[in-house]
Amino acid sequence: MPYRLDVHYRKQTLVKLLNNIQSNEEAIIQALYADFKKPAFEVVATETSYIEAELKYTLKNMEKWAKPKWVLPSFLNFPSSDFIYKEPYGKVLIIAPWNYPYQLALSPLIAAVAAGNQVVVKPSELTPNTSAVITRIIRSTFDETHVACIEGGVEEAQALLTQRWDYIFFTGSSSVGKLVAQAASKHLTPVTLELGGKNPCIIDASANLKLAAKRIVWGKFMNAGQTCIAPDYLLIAEKIKETFVSYLKSEILSAFGEHPKVSPDYGRIVNEKNWRRLVALLENEAVLYGGESTLADCYIAPTLLDESQLDSLVMQEEIFGPILPIISYRTEEELGTYILHYEKPLALYVFTTNTTFAEKMITHYSFGGGCINDTLVQFTNKRLPFGGIGHSGIGAYHGACSFALFSHHKSIVKKGNWLDIHTRYAPYQGKIKLIKKVIGWFS
């Protein structure tokens, strides 16, 4: 039996991977700091410990996930036993992004290997130090015919996409996601696209404002705002805006001090290109707080903007940085004009103590996932699928969903030979009424 179909072989390699990632934790912490000054706490919380927990959970459950699943058979097939078999797709390409370069390369890799696939991982060239550690871990863990790591930039990614794959998993921007989907369509290759969008964060007048401010500041400015599910803009009930802005300022000060540039807990923009893009978004905007920037170390302070207009640059694209526009609304109808102006986002957040309002917000609007009275934490529960909808993504993963994502679900009916009902066989004359009744009774 080929090793890729052998669950025990898969498990052995993943145990080896666990040992290697544990021994390289400090190297990853140092690499991410070298790439864009990501604080060690954020690396441990969102990258290394997250991956270690995901891997342990997979090792604990993968044999159960891999077993054929019995399902209730159709009486029309009596006598039979019906099963769903999980088989690997085959050769999988994983293209990882730069914002959480370790987590978002290793998480899909773990699932793809657990499901029995052969894998090629393409880490991001924008975080070269982290990419080098990922490559070292993969090459010291796997046989190169099982899992390979290809470093490089756009040319290498384009070359990989010209080849034929059985599955492609991509995390990144919606614009690049469209190119990946286009390349995959030439061979009808299935894809998972983990993208992004303009994630609204709604603050209702009934919300616990001080706690909401703390949780929003945490979710928005973690990783210097370079998080696909971070709040992209605030929609706040007009009558509480002034009070809430004061709480936001206080929480930024509490988290990063008067000079965030020297805070050990505040990261940097990944490179000069992205820094310049973000600085350009601040032009002609009313800055309520922050706004300082220095090119030398790609620093942009935690920044609050006042009443950005829909036609402004900052409201035309996903921000993906430490800039937070604050927009007030008077009615739910006005609230809707902002949210529905954009494609379906990856996340939506609502802060309120009004359960009716909360339920209305999460059911009325379409989005990938989200929280009531918090931000980002929907990502942390491995029992919740994570993924987008529409322009924010295709497919969902995490936990058992990850194993399912990288597996073809093959339907099998095991038919008994001791009884054979002749109604289905020709000649059909005189059987139409009977077959209608049978199908009606037992479907």
Side-chain angles (χ1 to χ4, degrees):
M1 180 182 292
Y3 67 78
R4 68 188 185 89
L5 297 178
D6 182 2
V7 176
H8 300 293
Y9 179 87
R10 306 177 206 171
K11 200 165 185 178
Q12 288 173 2
T13 59
L14 290 178
V15 168
K16 187 177 180 182
L17 177 62
L18 177 60
N19 293 331
N20 282 335
I21 67 171
Q22 288 174 332
S23 63
N24 278 278
E25 181 178 50
E26 186 58 35
I28 286 293
I29 291 172
Q30 293 176 5
L32 280 161
Y33 186 82
D35 283 330
F36 56 121
K37 291 190 176 181
K38 182 174 282 194
F41 178 89
E42 291 186 7
V43 175
V44 172
T46 66
E47 307 251 18
T48 59
S49 289
Y50 180 91
I51 286 299
E52 185 174 330
E54 181 81 4
L55 184 44
K56 288 179 178 178
Y57 184 77
T58 300
L59 286 167
K60 180 180 178 181
N61 292 282
M62 60 182 289
E63 289 188 50
K64 177 179 67 176
W65 295 338
K67 288 180 179 178
K69 179 183 178 182
W70 178 87
V71 298
L72 186 69
S74 169
F75 192 82
L76 294 171
N77 291 330
F78 183 84
S80 74
S81 298
D82 293 10
F83 297 87
I84 299 172
Y85 279 69
K86 286 68 169 277
E87 73 172 20
Y89 277 101
K91 295 178 180 176
V92 172
L93 173 64
I94 295 171
I95 302 177
W98 54 261
N99 60 325
Y100 291 87
Y102 180 73
Q103 181 214 125
L104 296 176
L106 271 290
S107 182
L109 168 63
I110 290 165
V113 170
N117 298 282
Q118 294 170 285
V119 187
V120 170
V121 179
K122 164 63 178 67
S124 175
E125 73 279 9
L126 300 187
T127 47
N129 296 285
T130 307
S131 177
V133 179
I134 291 171
T135 301
R136 186 171 73 240
I137 290 172
I138 288 175
R139 289 177 180 172
S140 64
T141 301
F142 300 97
D143 183 283
E144 65 180 0
T145 62
H146 186 191
V147 178
C149 193
I150 306 296
E151 293 188 272
V154 174
E155 287 186 11
E156 285 76 12
Q158 290 175 336
L160 287 169
L161 287 170
T162 62
Q163 299 179 35
R164 182 167 184 170
W165 303 93
D166 298 302
Y167 204 97
I168 297 174
F169 187 103
F170 169 81
T171 307
S173 68
S174 298
S175 58
V176 179
K178 292 176 182 178
L179 299 177
V180 172
Q182 185 178 26
S185 69
K186 294 177 181 178
H187 300 293
L188 296 179
T189 301
V191 297
T192 291
L193 303 176
E194 296 294 343
L195 310 175
K198 291 195 75 65
N199 306 318
C201 183
I202 304 161
I203 300 93
D204 174 50
S206 72
N208 181 330
L209 298 185
K210 185 169 177 55
L211 184 58
K214 180 184 286 290
R215 291 174 175 175
I216 289 168
V217 166
W218 172 77
K220 175 61 181 179
F221 299 113
M222 176 182 284
N223 205 33
Q226 298 163 118
T227 303
C228 60
I229 54 173
D232 193 88
Y233 62 102
L234 298 189
L235 294 168
I236 183 165
E238 186 179 58
K239 63 183 179 180
I240 60 167
K241 175 188 170 184
E242 185 176 344
T243 301
F244 189 68
V245 168
S246 69
Y247 282 133
L248 286 174
K249 293 176 180 179
S250 177
E251 291 299 336
I252 293 172
L253 188 65
S254 176
F256 308 114
E258 292 186 7
H259 304 287
K261 187 175 182 179
V262 299
S263 170
D265 301 319
Y266 188 68
R268 295 295 183 267
I269 307 308
V270 70
N271 60 16
E272 181 179 331
K273 179 181 177 182
N274 280 274
W275 181 88
R276 290 188 182 280
R277 178 186 65 83
L278 289 166
V279 169
L281 298 183
L282 296 175
E283 293 181 11
N284 303 316
E285 293 290 333
V287 176
L288 286 170
Y289 188 89
E292 302 84 9
S293 62
T294 55
L295 174 58
D297 64 346
C298 292
Y299 167 77
I300 297 178
T303 300
L304 306 177
L305 302 181
D306 190 28
E307 299 295 344
S308 297
Q309 301 299 306
L310 281 176
D311 60 355
S312 65
L313 284 176
V314 77
M315 294 301 292
Q316 289 181 20
E317 61 180 62
E318 181 181 6
I319 294 170
F320 221 67
I323 300 168
L324 185 59
I326 299 171
I327 300 167
S328 57
Y329 71 90
R330 296 183 182 87
T331 66
E332 288 185 21
E333 290 73 23
E334 189 177 359
L335 181 67
T337 61
Y338 284 99
I339 298 173
L340 297 175
H341 180 77
Y342 302 103
E343 297 286 350
K344 297 173 183 179
L346 184 57
L348 180 145
Y349 305 106
V350 54
F351 287 82
T352 181
T353 56
N354 183 333
T355 56
T356 301
F357 178 78
E359 192 68 19
K360 185 174 183 179
M361 293 299 101
I362 64 172
T363 55
H364 185 70
Y365 298 108
S366 183
F367 54 96
C371 304
I372 298 169
N373 294 322
D374 210 341
T375 61
L376 307 192
V377 296
Q378 73 273 21
F379 189 90
T380 64
N381 186 349
K382 58 182 66 70
R383 288 166 289 278
L384 290 175
F386 175 81
I389 181 172
H391 281 230
S392 62
I394 299 170
Y397 70 123
H398 284 185
C401 292
S402 292
F403 188 96
L405 184 78
F406 287 104
S407 303
H408 168 59
H409 291 211
K410 184 188 291 182
S411 301
I412 300 294
V413 175
K414 297 182 179 180
K415 193 68 180 286
N417 292 330
W418 58 270
L419 178 66
D420 194 37
I421 300 172
H422 294 280
T423 306
R424 65 174 175 164
Y425 299 111
Y428 300 128
Q429 187 174 0
K431 295 180 180 179
I432 291 179
K433 288 184 179 179
L434 177 59
I435 197 64
K436 282 184 176 181
K437 287 182 179 180
V438 170
I439 292 175
W441 288 335
F442 300 117
S443 294

